PDB file of all heavy atoms in Angstrom:
ATOM      1  N   ALA A 241      99.058 127.452 139.176  1.00 97.00           N
ATOM      2  CA  ALA A 241      98.427 126.147 139.369  1.00 97.00           C
ATOM      3  C   ALA A 241      96.925 126.252 139.009  1.00 97.00           C
ATOM      4  O   ALA A 241      96.215 127.095 139.510  1.00 97.00           O
ATOM      5  CB  ALA A 241      98.615 125.640 140.778  1.00 97.00           C
ATOM      6  N   VAL A 242      96.476 125.364 138.149  1.00 97.00           N
ATOM      7  CA  VAL A 242      95.097 125.410 137.649  1.00 97.00           C
ATOM      8  C   VAL A 242      94.130 125.261 138.816  1.00 97.00           C
ATOM      9  O   VAL A 242      93.076 125.954 138.853  1.00 97.00           O
ATOM     10  CB  VAL A 242      94.888 124.282 136.590  1.00 97.00           C
ATOM     11  CG1 VAL A 242      93.384 124.233 136.232  1.00 97.00           C
ATOM     12  CG2 VAL A 242      95.712 124.562 135.369  1.00 97.00           C
ATOM     13  N   GLU A 243      94.414 124.434 139.793  1.00 97.00           N
ATOM     14  CA  GLU A 243      93.497 124.187 140.879  1.00 97.00           C
ATOM     15  C   GLU A 243      93.313 125.436 141.734  1.00 97.00           C
ATOM     16  O   GLU A 243      92.349 125.509 142.539  1.00 97.00           O
ATOM     17  CB  GLU A 243      93.987 123.029 141.732  1.00 97.00           C
ATOM     18  CG  GLU A 243      95.313 123.188 142.375  1.00 97.00           C
ATOM     19  CD  GLU A 243      96.483 122.670 141.518  1.00 97.00           C
ATOM     20  OE1 GLU A 243      96.287 122.568 140.274  1.00 97.00           O
ATOM     21  OE2 GLU A 243      97.565 122.442 142.087  1.00 97.00           O
ATOM     22  N   ASN A 244      94.197 126.397 141.642  1.00 97.00           N
ATOM     23  CA  ASN A 244      94.101 127.626 142.454  1.00 97.00           C
ATOM     24  C   ASN A 244      93.483 128.796 141.688  1.00 97.00           C
ATOM     25  O   ASN A 244      93.332 129.883 142.265  1.00 97.00           O
ATOM     26  CB  ASN A 244      95.493 128.010 142.961  1.00 97.00           C
ATOM     27  CG  ASN A 244      96.099 127.029 143.920  1.00 97.00           C
ATOM     28  OD1 ASN A 244      95.347 126.295 144.599  1.00 97.00           O
ATOM     29  ND2 ASN A 244      97.430 126.959 143.960  1.00 97.00           N
ATOM     30  N   ARG A 245      93.149 128.582 140.469  1.00 98.00           N
ATOM     31  CA  ARG A 245      92.609 129.693 139.645  1.00 98.00           C
ATOM     32  C   ARG A 245      91.146 129.899 139.984  1.00 98.00           C
ATOM     33  O   ARG A 245      90.374 128.954 140.036  1.00 98.00           O
ATOM     34  CB  ARG A 245      92.805 129.403 138.184  1.00 98.00           C
ATOM     35  CG  ARG A 245      94.269 129.272 137.751  1.00 98.00           C
ATOM     36  CD  ARG A 245      94.421 129.009 136.220  1.00 98.00           C
ATOM     37  NE  ARG A 245      95.763 128.667 135.900  1.00 98.00           N
ATOM     38  CZ  ARG A 245      96.155 128.321 134.695  1.00 98.00           C
ATOM     39  NH1 ARG A 245      95.242 128.295 133.679  1.00 98.00           N
ATOM     40  NH2 ARG A 245      97.422 127.981 134.419  1.00 98.00           N
ATOM     41  N   PRO A 246      90.746 131.175 140.038  1.00 98.00           N
ATOM     42  CA  PRO A 246      89.372 131.481 140.429  1.00 98.00           C
ATOM     43  C   PRO A 246      88.429 131.429 139.161  1.00 98.00           C
ATOM     44  O   PRO A 246      88.852 131.652 138.026  1.00 98.00           O
ATOM     45  CB  PRO A 246      89.405 132.903 140.901  1.00 98.00           C
ATOM     46  CG  PRO A 246      90.574 133.517 140.155  1.00 98.00           C
ATOM     47  CD  PRO A 246      91.603 132.395 139.994  1.00 98.00           C
ATOM     48  N   LYS A 247      87.200 131.079 139.406  1.00 98.00           N
ATOM     49  CA  LYS A 247      86.171 131.228 138.407  1.00 98.00           C
ATOM     50  C   LYS A 247      85.636 132.650 138.449  1.00 98.00           C
ATOM     51  O   LYS A 247      85.399 133.189 139.522  1.00 98.00           O
ATOM     52  CB  LYS A 247      85.046 130.219 138.600  1.00 98.00           C
ATOM     53  CG  LYS A 247      85.410 128.787 138.436  1.00 98.00           C
ATOM     54  CD  LYS A 247      84.226 127.862 138.649  1.00 98.00           C
ATOM     55  CE  LYS A 247      84.629 126.370 138.439  1.00 98.00           C
ATOM     56  NZ  LYS A 247      83.471 125.470 138.618  1.00 98.00           N
ATOM     57  N   ARG A 248      85.426 133.263 137.255  1.00 98.00           N
ATOM     58  CA  ARG A 248      84.984 134.609 137.198  1.00 98.00           C
ATOM     59  C   ARG A 248      83.742 134.777 136.301  1.00 98.00           C
ATOM     60  O   ARG A 248      83.638 134.043 135.338  1.00 98.00           O
ATOM     61  CB  ARG A 248      86.028 135.538 136.651  1.00 98.00           C
ATOM     62  CG  ARG A 248      87.342 135.543 137.429  1.00 98.00           C
ATOM     63  CD  ARG A 248      87.264 136.353 138.712  1.00 98.00           C
ATOM     64  NE  ARG A 248      88.586 136.540 139.300  1.00 98.00           N
ATOM     65  CZ  ARG A 248      88.796 136.991 140.554  1.00 98.00           C
ATOM     66  NH1 ARG A 248      87.740 137.326 141.308  1.00 98.00           N
ATOM     67  NH2 ARG A 248      90.018 137.118 141.022  1.00 98.00           N
ATOM     68  N   LEU A 249      82.876 135.720 136.649  1.00 98.00           N
ATOM     69  CA  LEU A 249      81.762 136.027 135.745  1.00 98.00           C
ATOM     70  C   LEU A 249      82.322 136.910 134.636  1.00 98.00           C
ATOM     71  O   LEU A 249      82.965 137.961 134.886  1.00 98.00           O
ATOM     72  CB  LEU A 249      80.660 136.766 136.498  1.00 98.00           C
ATOM     73  CG  LEU A 249      79.954 136.023 137.612  1.00 98.00           C
ATOM     74  CD1 LEU A 249      78.850 136.870 138.179  1.00 98.00           C
ATOM     75  CD2 LEU A 249      79.476 134.663 137.124  1.00 98.00           C
ATOM     76  N   ASP A 250      82.082 136.540 133.409  1.00 98.00           N
ATOM     77  CA  ASP A 250      82.495 137.322 132.249  1.00 98.00           C
ATOM     78  C   ASP A 250      81.324 138.207 131.826  1.00 98.00           C
ATOM     79  O   ASP A 250      80.378 137.678 131.220  1.00 98.00           O
ATOM     80  CB  ASP A 250      82.960 136.395 131.094  1.00 98.00           C
ATOM     81  CG  ASP A 250      83.167 137.144 129.793  1.00 98.00           C
ATOM     82  OD1 ASP A 250      83.498 138.364 129.883  1.00 98.00           O
ATOM     83  OD2 ASP A 250      83.028 136.535 128.731  1.00 98.00           O
ATOM     84  N   LEU A 251      81.424 139.476 132.127  1.00 98.00           N
ATOM     85  CA  LEU A 251      80.311 140.382 131.813  1.00 98.00           C
ATOM     86  C   LEU A 251      80.185 140.644 130.350  1.00 98.00           C
ATOM     87  O   LEU A 251      79.132 141.082 129.870  1.00 98.00           O
ATOM     88  CB  LEU A 251      80.542 141.705 132.572  1.00 98.00           C
ATOM     89  CG  LEU A 251      80.699 141.619 134.102  1.00 98.00           C
ATOM     90  CD1 LEU A 251      80.747 143.009 134.723  1.00 98.00           C
ATOM     91  CD2 LEU A 251      79.570 140.771 134.710  1.00 98.00           C
ATOM     92  N   ALA A 252      81.264 140.417 129.575  1.00 97.00           N
ATOM     93  CA  ALA A 252      81.179 140.698 128.134  1.00 97.00           C
ATOM     94  C   ALA A 252      80.181 139.749 127.456  1.00 97.00           C
ATOM     95  O   ALA A 252      79.444 140.204 126.580  1.00 97.00           O
ATOM     96  CB  ALA A 252      82.581 140.542 127.531  1.00 97.00           C
ATOM     97  N   TRP A 253      80.198 138.495 127.824  1.00 97.00           N
ATOM     98  CA  TRP A 253      79.363 137.502 127.099  1.00 97.00           C
ATOM     99  C   TRP A 253      78.369 136.799 128.007  1.00 97.00           C
ATOM    100  O   TRP A 253      77.697 135.841 127.618  1.00 97.00           O
ATOM    101  CB  TRP A 253      80.267 136.475 126.421  1.00 97.00           C
ATOM    102  CG  TRP A 253      81.183 137.151 125.388  1.00 97.00           C
ATOM    103  CD1 TRP A 253      82.524 137.337 125.495  1.00 97.00           C
ATOM    104  CD2 TRP A 253      80.752 137.772 124.183  1.00 97.00           C
ATOM    105  NE1 TRP A 253      82.980 138.019 124.388  1.00 97.00           N
ATOM    106  CE2 TRP A 253      81.903 138.292 123.575  1.00 97.00           C
ATOM    107  CE3 TRP A 253      79.535 137.918 123.473  1.00 97.00           C
ATOM    108  CZ2 TRP A 253      81.932 138.935 122.331  1.00 97.00           C
ATOM    109  CZ3 TRP A 253      79.512 138.568 122.261  1.00 97.00           C
ATOM    110  CH2 TRP A 253      80.680 139.086 121.720  1.00 97.00           C
ATOM    111  N   GLY A 254      78.299 137.182 129.323  1.00 97.00           N
ATOM    112  CA  GLY A 254      77.323 136.613 130.217  1.00 97.00           C
ATOM    113  C   GLY A 254      77.533 135.159 130.573  1.00 97.00           C
ATOM    114  O   GLY A 254      76.576 134.451 130.759  1.00 97.00           O
ATOM    115  N   THR A 255      78.800 134.770 130.672  1.00 98.00           N
ATOM    116  CA  THR A 255      79.144 133.403 130.960  1.00 98.00           C
ATOM    117  C   THR A 255      80.084 133.355 132.171  1.00 98.00           C
ATOM    118  O   THR A 255      80.481 134.371 132.713  1.00 98.00           O
ATOM    119  CB  THR A 255      79.801 132.717 129.752  1.00 98.00           C
ATOM    120  OG1 THR A 255      80.992 133.430 129.386  1.00 98.00           O
ATOM    121  CG2 THR A 255      78.863 132.686 128.586  1.00 98.00           C
ATOM    122  N   THR A 256      80.422 132.112 132.582  1.00 98.00           N
ATOM    123  CA  THR A 256      81.428 131.926 133.624  1.00 98.00           C
ATOM    124  C   THR A 256      82.725 131.448 133.041  1.00 98.00           C
ATOM    125  O   THR A 256      82.740 130.473 132.296  1.00 98.00           O
ATOM    126  CB  THR A 256      80.925 130.910 134.665  1.00 98.00           C
ATOM    127  OG1 THR A 256      79.714 131.364 135.280  1.00 98.00           O
ATOM    128  CG2 THR A 256      81.957 130.636 135.758  1.00 98.00           C
ATOM    129  N   GLU A 257      83.811 132.147 133.350  1.00 98.00           N
ATOM    130  CA  GLU A 257      85.111 131.823 132.885  1.00 98.00           C
ATOM    131  C   GLU A 257      85.823 130.979 133.953  1.00 98.00           C
ATOM    132  O   GLU A 257      86.137 131.453 135.020  1.00 98.00           O
ATOM    133  CB  GLU A 257      85.926 133.069 132.560  1.00 98.00           C
ATOM    134  CG  GLU A 257      87.411 132.829 132.231  1.00 98.00           C
ATOM    135  CD  GLU A 257      87.608 131.820 131.143  1.00 98.00           C
ATOM    136  OE1 GLU A 257      86.997 131.961 130.052  1.00 98.00           O
ATOM    137  OE2 GLU A 257      88.396 130.899 131.344  1.00 98.00           O
ATOM    138  N   PRO A 258      86.152 129.694 133.670  1.00 98.00           N
ATOM    139  CA  PRO A 258      86.788 128.868 134.672  1.00 98.00           C
ATOM    140  C   PRO A 258      88.294 129.069 134.821  1.00 98.00           C
ATOM    141  O   PRO A 258      88.877 128.658 135.817  1.00 98.00           O
ATOM    142  CB  PRO A 258      86.525 127.411 134.114  1.00 98.00           C
ATOM    143  CG  PRO A 258      86.475 127.614 132.648  1.00 98.00           C
ATOM    144  CD  PRO A 258      85.817 128.923 132.437  1.00 98.00           C
ATOM    145  N   ASN A 259      88.915 129.746 133.838  1.00 98.00           N
ATOM    146  CA  ASN A 259      90.337 130.046 133.888  1.00 98.00           C
ATOM    147  C   ASN A 259      91.215 128.791 133.907  1.00 98.00           C
ATOM    148  O   ASN A 259      92.354 128.855 134.325  1.00 98.00           O
ATOM    149  CB  ASN A 259      90.685 130.962 135.051  1.00 98.00           C
ATOM    150  CG  ASN A 259      90.289 132.410 134.744  1.00 98.00           C
ATOM    151  OD1 ASN A 259      90.646 132.977 133.696  1.00 98.00           O
ATOM    152  ND2 ASN A 259      89.539 132.976 135.650  1.00 98.00           N
ATOM    153  N   THR A 260      90.675 127.630 133.457  1.00 98.00           N
ATOM    154  CA  THR A 260      91.532 126.455 133.368  1.00 98.00           C
ATOM    155  C   THR A 260      92.488 126.556 132.148  1.00 98.00           C
ATOM    156  O   THR A 260      93.424 125.765 132.049  1.00 98.00           O
ATOM    157  CB  THR A 260      90.687 125.186 133.259  1.00 98.00           C
ATOM    158  OG1 THR A 260      89.679 125.376 132.262  1.00 98.00           O
ATOM    159  CG2 THR A 260      90.017 124.922 134.613  1.00 98.00           C
ATOM    160  N   PHE A 261      92.200 127.446 131.234  1.00 98.00           N
ATOM    161  CA  PHE A 261      93.044 127.763 130.100  1.00 98.00           C
ATOM    162  C   PHE A 261      93.378 129.202 130.171  1.00 98.00           C
ATOM    163  O   PHE A 261      92.504 130.076 130.234  1.00 98.00           O
ATOM    164  CB  PHE A 261      92.302 127.416 128.784  1.00 98.00           C
ATOM    165  CG  PHE A 261      93.140 127.573 127.578  1.00 98.00           C
ATOM    166  CD1 PHE A 261      93.693 126.481 126.962  1.00 98.00           C
ATOM    167  CD2 PHE A 261      93.356 128.832 126.955  1.00 98.00           C
ATOM    168  CE1 PHE A 261      94.469 126.620 125.802  1.00 98.00           C
ATOM    169  CE2 PHE A 261      94.090 128.999 125.834  1.00 98.00           C
ATOM    170  CZ  PHE A 261      94.661 127.853 125.247  1.00 98.00           C
ATOM    171  N   GLY A 262      94.684 129.500 130.177  1.00 98.00           N
ATOM    172  CA  GLY A 262      95.114 130.901 130.289  1.00 98.00           C
ATOM    173  C   GLY A 262      96.349 131.203 129.398  1.00 98.00           C
ATOM    174  O   GLY A 262      96.578 130.507 128.389  1.00 98.00           O
ATOM    175  N   THR A 263      97.103 132.153 129.859  1.00 98.00           N
ATOM    176  CA  THR A 263      98.181 132.753 129.041  1.00 98.00           C
ATOM    177  C   THR A 263      99.214 131.709 128.640  1.00 98.00           C
ATOM    178  O   THR A 263      99.561 131.548 127.438  1.00 98.00           O
ATOM    179  CB  THR A 263      98.876 133.911 129.773  1.00 98.00           C
ATOM    180  OG1 THR A 263      97.865 134.919 130.028  1.00 98.00           O
ATOM    181  CG2 THR A 263      99.985 134.479 128.931  1.00 98.00           C
ATOM    182  N   ASN A 264      99.767 130.956 129.631  1.00 98.00           N
ATOM    183  CA  ASN A 264     100.782 129.989 129.256  1.00 98.00           C
ATOM    184  C   ASN A 264     100.245 128.800 128.441  1.00 98.00           C
ATOM    185  O   ASN A 264     100.988 128.312 127.585  1.00 98.00           O
ATOM    186  CB  ASN A 264     101.462 129.472 130.587  1.00 98.00           C
ATOM    187  CG  ASN A 264     102.266 130.563 131.245  1.00 98.00           C
ATOM    188  OD1 ASN A 264     103.071 131.242 130.622  1.00 98.00           O
ATOM    189  ND2 ASN A 264     102.040 130.750 132.550  1.00 98.00           N
ATOM    190  N   GLU A 265      99.029 128.409 128.738  1.00 98.00           N
ATOM    191  CA  GLU A 265      98.413 127.376 127.891  1.00 98.00           C
ATOM    192  C   GLU A 265      98.279 127.816 126.433  1.00 98.00           C
ATOM    193  O   GLU A 265      98.589 127.033 125.514  1.00 98.00           O
ATOM    194  CB  GLU A 265      97.041 126.961 128.438  1.00 98.00           C
ATOM    195  CG  GLU A 265      97.080 126.121 129.711  1.00 98.00           C
ATOM    196  CD  GLU A 265      97.275 126.967 130.971  1.00 98.00           C
ATOM    197  OE1 GLU A 265      97.139 128.223 130.924  1.00 98.00           O
ATOM    198  OE2 GLU A 265      97.502 126.362 132.071  1.00 98.00           O
ATOM    199  N   PHE A 266      97.899 129.102 126.284  1.00 98.00           N
ATOM    200  CA  PHE A 266      97.780 129.561 124.922  1.00 98.00           C
ATOM    201  C   PHE A 266      99.147 129.621 124.236  1.00 98.00           C
ATOM    202  O   PHE A 266      99.252 129.276 123.052  1.00 98.00           O
ATOM    203  CB  PHE A 266      97.133 130.951 124.876  1.00 98.00           C
ATOM    204  CG  PHE A 266      96.966 131.489 123.474  1.00 98.00           C
ATOM    205  CD1 PHE A 266      96.011 130.909 122.635  1.00 98.00           C
ATOM    206  CD2 PHE A 266      97.727 132.515 122.995  1.00 98.00           C
ATOM    207  CE1 PHE A 266      95.857 131.393 121.337  1.00 98.00           C
ATOM    208  CE2 PHE A 266      97.604 132.994 121.724  1.00 98.00           C
ATOM    209  CZ  PHE A 266      96.617 132.426 120.889  1.00 98.00           C
ATOM    210  N   MET A 267     100.168 130.046 124.956  1.00 98.00           N
ATOM    211  CA  MET A 267     101.495 130.105 124.344  1.00 98.00           C
ATOM    212  C   MET A 267     102.007 128.714 123.952  1.00 98.00           C
ATOM    213  O   MET A 267     102.634 128.547 122.905  1.00 98.00           O
ATOM    214  CB  MET A 267     102.476 130.788 125.319  1.00 98.00           C
ATOM    215  CG  MET A 267     102.141 132.237 125.585  1.00 98.00           C
ATOM    216  SD  MET A 267     101.872 133.286 124.149  1.00 98.00           S
ATOM    217  CE  MET A 267     103.449 133.156 123.330  1.00 98.00           C
ATOM    218  N   LYS A 268     101.724 127.733 124.811  1.00 98.00           N
ATOM    219  CA  LYS A 268     102.097 126.356 124.428  1.00 98.00           C
ATOM    220  C   LYS A 268     101.334 125.869 123.174  1.00 98.00           C
ATOM    221  O   LYS A 268     101.887 125.238 122.317  1.00 98.00           O
ATOM    222  CB  LYS A 268     101.808 125.404 125.625  1.00 98.00           C
ATOM    223  CG  LYS A 268     102.751 125.608 126.786  1.00 98.00           C
ATOM    224  CD  LYS A 268     102.373 124.768 127.985  1.00 98.00           C
ATOM    225  CE  LYS A 268     102.609 123.287 127.728  1.00 98.00           C
ATOM    226  NZ  LYS A 268     102.330 122.490 128.989  1.00 98.00           N
ATOM    227  N   TRP A 269     100.020 126.253 123.149  1.00 98.00           N
ATOM    228  CA  TRP A 269      99.217 125.893 121.972  1.00 98.00           C
ATOM    229  C   TRP A 269      99.791 126.539 120.725  1.00 98.00           C
ATOM    230  O   TRP A 269      99.878 125.952 119.652  1.00 98.00           O
ATOM    231  CB  TRP A 269      97.787 126.325 122.163  1.00 98.00           C
ATOM    232  CG  TRP A 269      96.908 125.972 120.937  1.00 98.00           C
ATOM    233  CD1 TRP A 269      96.325 124.778 120.716  1.00 98.00           C
ATOM    234  CD2 TRP A 269      96.622 126.834 119.845  1.00 98.00           C
ATOM    235  NE1 TRP A 269      95.641 124.831 119.543  1.00 98.00           N
ATOM    236  CE2 TRP A 269      95.818 126.088 118.983  1.00 98.00           C
ATOM    237  CE3 TRP A 269      96.939 128.131 119.505  1.00 98.00           C
ATOM    238  CZ2 TRP A 269      95.325 126.607 117.782  1.00 98.00           C
ATOM    239  CZ3 TRP A 269      96.490 128.650 118.322  1.00 98.00           C
ATOM    240  CH2 TRP A 269      95.685 127.884 117.464  1.00 98.00           C
ATOM    241  N   CYS A 270     100.218 127.824 120.791  1.00 98.00           N
ATOM    242  CA  CYS A 270     100.810 128.545 119.659  1.00 98.00           C
ATOM    243  C   CYS A 270     102.025 127.754 119.132  1.00 98.00           C
ATOM    244  O   CYS A 270     102.241 127.645 117.917  1.00 98.00           O
ATOM    245  CB  CYS A 270     101.215 129.952 120.039  1.00 98.00           C
ATOM    246  SG  CYS A 270      99.861 131.111 120.178  1.00 98.00           S
ATOM    247  N   GLN A 271     102.869 127.281 120.020  1.00 98.00           N
ATOM    248  CA  GLN A 271     104.060 126.516 119.610  1.00 98.00           C
ATOM    249  C   GLN A 271     103.625 125.295 118.813  1.00 98.00           C
ATOM    250  O   GLN A 271     104.264 125.006 117.771  1.00 98.00           O
ATOM    251  CB  GLN A 271     104.875 126.103 120.802  1.00 98.00           C
ATOM    252  CG  GLN A 271     105.606 127.249 121.488  1.00 98.00           C
ATOM    253  CD  GLN A 271     106.438 126.772 122.652  1.00 98.00           C
ATOM    254  OE1 GLN A 271     106.136 125.808 123.325  1.00 98.00           O
ATOM    255  NE2 GLN A 271     107.552 127.510 122.915  1.00 98.00           N
ATOM    256  N   LYS A 272     102.626 124.589 119.276  1.00 98.00           N
ATOM    257  CA  LYS A 272     102.214 123.358 118.563  1.00 98.00           C
ATOM    258  C   LYS A 272     101.455 123.668 117.263  1.00 98.00           C
ATOM    259  O   LYS A 272     101.484 122.854 116.351  1.00 98.00           O
ATOM    260  CB  LYS A 272     101.322 122.500 119.491  1.00 98.00           C
ATOM    261  CG  LYS A 272     102.077 121.968 120.694  1.00 98.00           C
ATOM    262  CD  LYS A 272     101.208 121.044 121.544  1.00 98.00           C
ATOM    263  CE  LYS A 272     102.035 120.469 122.698  1.00 98.00           C
ATOM    264  NZ  LYS A 272     101.286 119.482 123.513  1.00 98.00           N
ATOM    265  N   ALA A 273     100.808 124.818 117.208  1.00 98.00           N
ATOM    266  CA  ALA A 273     100.068 125.172 116.004  1.00 98.00           C
ATOM    267  C   ALA A 273     100.948 125.972 115.044  1.00 98.00           C
ATOM    268  O   ALA A 273     100.477 126.465 114.032  1.00 98.00           O
ATOM    269  CB  ALA A 273      98.833 126.033 116.370  1.00 98.00           C
ATOM    270  N   ASN A 274     102.262 126.144 115.371  1.00 98.00           N
ATOM    271  CA  ASN A 274     103.195 126.814 114.502  1.00 98.00           C
ATOM    272  C   ASN A 274     102.759 128.241 114.214  1.00 98.00           C
ATOM    273  O   ASN A 274     102.760 128.674 113.022  1.00 98.00           O
ATOM    274  CB  ASN A 274     103.393 126.000 113.181  1.00 98.00           C
ATOM    275  CG  ASN A 274     104.608 126.512 112.433  1.00 98.00           C
ATOM    276  OD1 ASN A 274     105.591 126.969 112.996  1.00 98.00           O
ATOM    277  ND2 ASN A 274     104.590 126.396 111.101  1.00 98.00           N
ATOM    278  N   THR A 275     102.374 128.978 115.243  1.00 98.00           N
ATOM    279  CA  THR A 275     101.919 130.297 115.073  1.00 98.00           C
ATOM    280  C   THR A 275     102.507 131.142 116.169  1.00 98.00           C
ATOM    281  O   THR A 275     103.118 130.673 117.129  1.00 98.00           O
ATOM    282  CB  THR A 275     100.391 130.394 115.060  1.00 98.00           C
ATOM    283  OG1 THR A 275      99.976 131.699 114.661  1.00 98.00           O
ATOM    284  CG2 THR A 275      99.773 130.040 116.400  1.00 98.00           C
ATOM    285  N   GLU A 276     102.298 132.473 116.117  1.00 98.00           N
ATOM    286  CA  GLU A 276     102.749 133.378 117.157  1.00 98.00           C
ATOM    287  C   GLU A 276     101.550 134.096 117.786  1.00 98.00           C
ATOM    288  O   GLU A 276     100.432 134.125 117.207  1.00 98.00           O
ATOM    289  CB  GLU A 276     103.685 134.424 116.573  1.00 98.00           C
ATOM    290  CG  GLU A 276     105.024 133.822 116.046  1.00 98.00           C
ATOM    291  CD  GLU A 276     105.941 134.851 115.439  1.00 98.00           C
ATOM    292  OE1 GLU A 276     105.622 136.029 115.527  1.00 98.00           O
ATOM    293  OE2 GLU A 276     106.982 134.430 114.881  1.00 98.00           O
ATOM    294  N   CYS A 277     101.766 134.691 118.952  1.00 98.00           N
ATOM    295  CA  CYS A 277     100.651 135.351 119.684  1.00 98.00           C
ATOM    296  C   CYS A 277     100.654 136.807 119.416  1.00 98.00           C
ATOM    297  O   CYS A 277     101.734 137.486 119.414  1.00 98.00           O
ATOM    298  CB  CYS A 277     100.866 135.055 121.172  1.00 98.00           C
ATOM    299  SG  CYS A 277      99.684 136.003 122.225  1.00 98.00           S
ATOM    300  N   MET A 278      99.465 137.347 119.206  1.00 98.00           N
ATOM    301  CA  MET A 278      99.210 138.802 119.222  1.00 98.00           C
ATOM    302  C   MET A 278      98.425 139.074 120.449  1.00 98.00           C
ATOM    303  O   MET A 278      97.198 138.762 120.516  1.00 98.00           O
ATOM    304  CB  MET A 278      98.423 139.205 117.937  1.00 98.00           C
ATOM    305  CG  MET A 278      98.061 140.666 117.871  1.00 98.00           C
ATOM    306  SD  MET A 278      97.040 140.967 116.402  1.00 98.00           S
ATOM    307  CE  MET A 278      96.995 142.738 116.382  1.00 98.00           C
ATOM    308  N   MET A 279      99.028 139.521 121.524  1.00 98.00           N
ATOM    309  CA  MET A 279      98.450 139.609 122.840  1.00 98.00           C
ATOM    310  C   MET A 279      97.711 140.945 123.045  1.00 98.00           C
ATOM    311  O   MET A 279      98.216 142.013 122.700  1.00 98.00           O
ATOM    312  CB  MET A 279      99.503 139.487 123.912  1.00 98.00           C
ATOM    313  CG  MET A 279      98.968 139.403 125.325  1.00 98.00           C
ATOM    314  SD  MET A 279      97.998 137.930 125.684  1.00 98.00           S
ATOM    315  CE  MET A 279      99.358 136.681 125.814  1.00 98.00           C
TER     316      MET A 279
END
């Protein structure tokens, strides 16, 4: 559930990651973009 996902500090790029977009969202996007995932 998106509302339960934590916000995290991303040390790689110095930003805050809200985690509102994650693994399953990306896989759904891949289906619509007619592509596959390299995880």
